[in-house]
């Protein structure tokens, strides 16, 4: 849940600020208000495209799970030395 908030926060917070600045400074948007929507959607898309990898990188990508909590064919697995495995790792 936290990563989703981190991904969406820049687009939700910075887009209105950027659009406000562009609407005041960019004469094209004042002359053609029909361009406001495509510009705004492009800014949001760019923000999400840039922020999503960064938000994913903030959190660990590997998680441990006890093998006895998984399907039966994972029970009794052994490592190369023949020792029973208790924990398995997976990529989230």
């Amino acid at each position: 849940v936290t990563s989703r908030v981190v991904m969406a926060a820049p687009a939700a917070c910075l887009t209105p600020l950027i659009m406000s600045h562009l609407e005041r400074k960019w004469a094209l948007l004042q002359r053609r208000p029909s361009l406001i929507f495509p510009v705004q959607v492009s800014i949001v898309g760019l923000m999400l495209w840039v922020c999503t990898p960064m938000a994913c990188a903030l959190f660990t990508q590997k998680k441990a799970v006890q093998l006895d909590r998984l399907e039966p064919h994972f029970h009794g697995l052994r490592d190369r030395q023949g020792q029973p495995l208790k924990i398995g790792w997976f990529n989230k």
Side-chain angles (χ1 to χ4, degrees):
V1 174
T2 307
S3 64
R4 291 181 185 191
V5 172
V6 172
M7 278 188 269
C13 296
L14 295 178
T15 301
L17 297 174
I18 293 170
M19 285 305 297
S20 174
H21 178 74
L22 287 178
E23 287 172 4
R24 281 187 275 125
K25 302 289 182 180
W26 204 18
L28 182 63
L29 287 180
Q30 293 171 354
R31 283 180 283 154
R32 298 197 53 200
S34 62
L35 290 177
I36 291 174
F37 180 72
V39 169
Q40 190 171 10
V41 169
S42 299
I43 291 170
V44 170
L46 180 65
M47 294 269 192
L48 291 175
W49 183 62
V50 169
C51 295
T52 299
M54 288 191 290
C56 290
L58 289 175
F59 303 97
T60 59
Q61 298 300 309
K62 288 190 175 183
K63 180 129 175 107
V65 64
Q66 292 193 359
L67 294 179
D68 59 356
R69 297 185 66 197
L70 297 175
E71 290 87 1
H73 65 274
F74 289 105
H75 301 186
L77 290 177
R78 298 185 176 275
D79 65 9
R80 291 181 182 158
Q81 288 79 30
Q83 301 296 318
L85 294 173
K86 304 263 188 223
I87 297 176
W89 294 86
F90 68 95
N91 192 11
K92 295 198 286 185

